[in-house]
Amino acid sequence: MAKNNHSEIKTHSLGYPRIGAHRELKKATEAYWKGQVSLDELLATGRSLRQAHWETQRAAGIDLIPVNDFSFYDQVLDMSCLLGNVPPRFQWTGGETDVNTVFTIARGTQGGASPVENEKDCQTGKVSTFASEMTKWFDTNYHYIVPEFRADTEFALSSSKVFDELAEAKALGLNAKPVLVGPVTYLLLGKGQDSQNPDFDPFTLLDGLVAVYEEIISRLAAEGAEWIQLDEPIVSTDLSGAQQAALKKAYERLGSVKGSAKLLVATYFGGVRDNLRDFLDLPVDALHFDFVRGSEEADAVIANFPEDKILSVGIVEGRNIWKNDYEASLAVLKKAEVAVGTDRLWVAPSCSLLHSPVTLQNEPKLDGELKSWLAFADEKLAEVVDLRQLLDGTGGEQGYALNQMAAESRRSSKRIHNERVKSRLAGVQAGDFDRDSGFAARQDKQREKLGLPEFPTTTIGSFPQTREVRQARARWKKGTLSDVDYDAFLKEETAKCVAFQDEIGIDMPVHGEFERNDMVEYFGENLEGFAFTSNGWVQSYGSRYVKPPIIFGDVTRPEPMTVYWSEYAQSLTERPMKGMLTGPVTILQWSFVRDDQPRSVTTHQIALAIRDEVVDLEKAGIAAIQIDEPAFREGLPLRRSDWEHYLDWAVKAFRLSACGVEDGTQIHTHMCYSEFNDIIEAIAEMDADVITIETSRSNMELLDAFVDFEYPNEIGPGVYDIHSPRVPPAEEMVNLMNKAEAVLPRGNIWVNPDCGLKTRQWEEVKPSLINMVEVASRLRGSSEVERTAVPLG
């Protein structure tokens, strides 16, 4: 490539992984919650991580480096604290919010305790405060804390975090770009929580909200910010005319107070489609587009891009781990360069790198061929810089040639394709998606077979993964604990878990999943077509990190994966043991997925593997089998016009996995932290015999969709919020179950936690489950009046 002088093209990053290459943030945060480190020590860890991340980006050649993308818990919650939007139940009296405010809103309190006391003393018996609701960030596996709005909500600048971090970066000589969640996205991601005004529209708060944004932007400009990034990913979704008008109104006001600073508005996770003209017309200085997930509209954006703005091209995938194809990316960038010129063109990842692991440098166990196909956050930064240099002729031919060799290696590799898998999938028949009988007939057979009482109790699957469990697994993986000794250890843990459930009266126990490291990774390790990292961690929420498998090839199950442990656990109890599996859609959604074939094809390959496991569990005498699909809604495309296609293949994937068993075998599924109203028909089409859902944080609000639809099958509305260390009192659970029984058929209701118990401690779990079983007993034996408790706050 000929060299030319186009040095004006800039590079920037929308955000960088905050967790640390070795999960330093998790370790420090959890140590603080346990009272093992001081607040000053926690803050020092955060400061050290921020500076290391900034220096990494500067060393890579990134021109504009994001600040305020770091968070001790969640960037949306940080925005709520910056705006002074703290729910009234936390009794915040104004002034400065801080990291303890963040933790209190995210985790709730026990007896009014501080976040540290909350973890150390979870059984005070005092009045407690439930945490704010948590849900998925668009169609990712990242969770944010949902902002709460009331008609009387007032906003006020209440945190110095963004200003402090700007000062930190400037002191290091960085060209720092503060990042904020944009005001329209913030309002649309929140929920009205005004019991006195249920029809309240949060957009009536826009003027007051924008006034505080004006104050923030004016202060950032005064403190030396050259560029300020406002994230509005909501522009990649369906917006009403009123919401489009709100976007225009907000940025007309913000553009008038920016002073010497310039505003970049970023959208990502898809194309902007019918919002294109409104987005292009925003009175700001630069616009960022996702040309990876919105590739189909790149030409339209480039052709219509206004002459008074900078075009930021998100060309390196920020959410997956495959190496960029320089040839394809340069074709797009060259079109943009011709249209807008070099001084109005920026090169960037498609979105924040929050969703990517930190670096391939910490993956010595990945084989060379597979590793050559991959790029994590640090490698993506290098790709951004490479593309800028290749575009202006300073990158040289060698880097381009190496990139294209890797792309060709992946396309032609024989390890990707399995003709036996392709042939089996092609031979699937319509009857493979159906049970023998409808739900009513199945329910009669299952009740006779299982013999469960009214309001049967169960849990969602996992039990606490203690330090001893984690240490034993680590020793086994290192070879310092033999297979025989590890098996004996796991059997002992399983036996204790089953005995505890029997002792307190759980009607349908589980084995505890002590042999599993992660609900997706475990299955991937037992399936062909998957690869695994050593340190490929990404943040799911707070201090909960996951290490997604990599699906690189056709998927098949070489041998049973869970039968051994379910069979062993069933031998320990007379009660019906529930087999535990992760569903095909969730395995797909929580993995880094191959991008060389439709996602539907990969999902149906996984579904056939899970189907084989379900059938084997039934043959082994397991009478109830749960196929978890917590990521089912997460997979929805951002545009409603695309939903029908997704829901068709996703529902079929679940049914393909579940419909190989007899009518008397009870199929459960589980979904958590999702809005169900929009997809309730599809959930019913899945035809699980029992569905358990998260409802405790939403105060049973999420149950409304099932009630309004008159959901026909059995349902377990969660009464124990496992994402908080609180021990919910029995009276609180009674309140929740009273609401459920008022609107659901009594004979169809289960009693269960919101989700698996893996992340909790036994000292929290035991009293919580004892309370839960007590509630089920009250429901069976008392009248409504006798068991009524005080109203929930």
Side-chain angles (χ1 to χ4, degrees), residues 281-302:
D281 288 344
L282 290 181
V284 297
D285 303 284
L287 297 170
H288 174 85
F289 291 84
D290 182 344
F291 279 1
V292 177
R293 294 181 181 243
S295 59
E296 71 284 349
E297 66 181 22
D299 287 346
V301 170
I302 291 169

Side-chain angles (χ1 to χ4, degrees), residues 272 276 280 289 291 294 297-306 311 339-340:
V272 299
L276 178 58
L280 291 175
F289 291 84
F291 279 1
E297 66 181 22
D299 287 346
V301 170
I302 291 169
N304 292 280
F305 200 76
L311 171 60
V340 304

Side-chain angles (χ1 to χ4, degrees), residues 331-387:
V332 175
L333 289 169
K334 287 176 180 177
K335 289 180 182 178
E337 182 186 23
V338 169
V340 304
T342 57
D343 58 337
R344 293 196 299 122
L345 178 61
W346 290 359
V347 183
S350 61
C351 62
S352 170
L353 298 177
L354 169 71
H355 309 287
S356 174
V358 177
T359 178
L360 276 172
Q361 295 300 312
N362 294 332
E363 301 300 334
K365 295 182 180 178
L366 284 177
D367 68 82
E369 181 184 42
L370 180 59
K371 197 171 182 179
S372 74
W373 303 341
L374 307 179
F376 291 176
D378 287 355
E379 291 74 33
K380 291 178 186 297
L381 296 174
E383 289 182 333
V384 167
V385 175
D386 278 353
L387 287 167

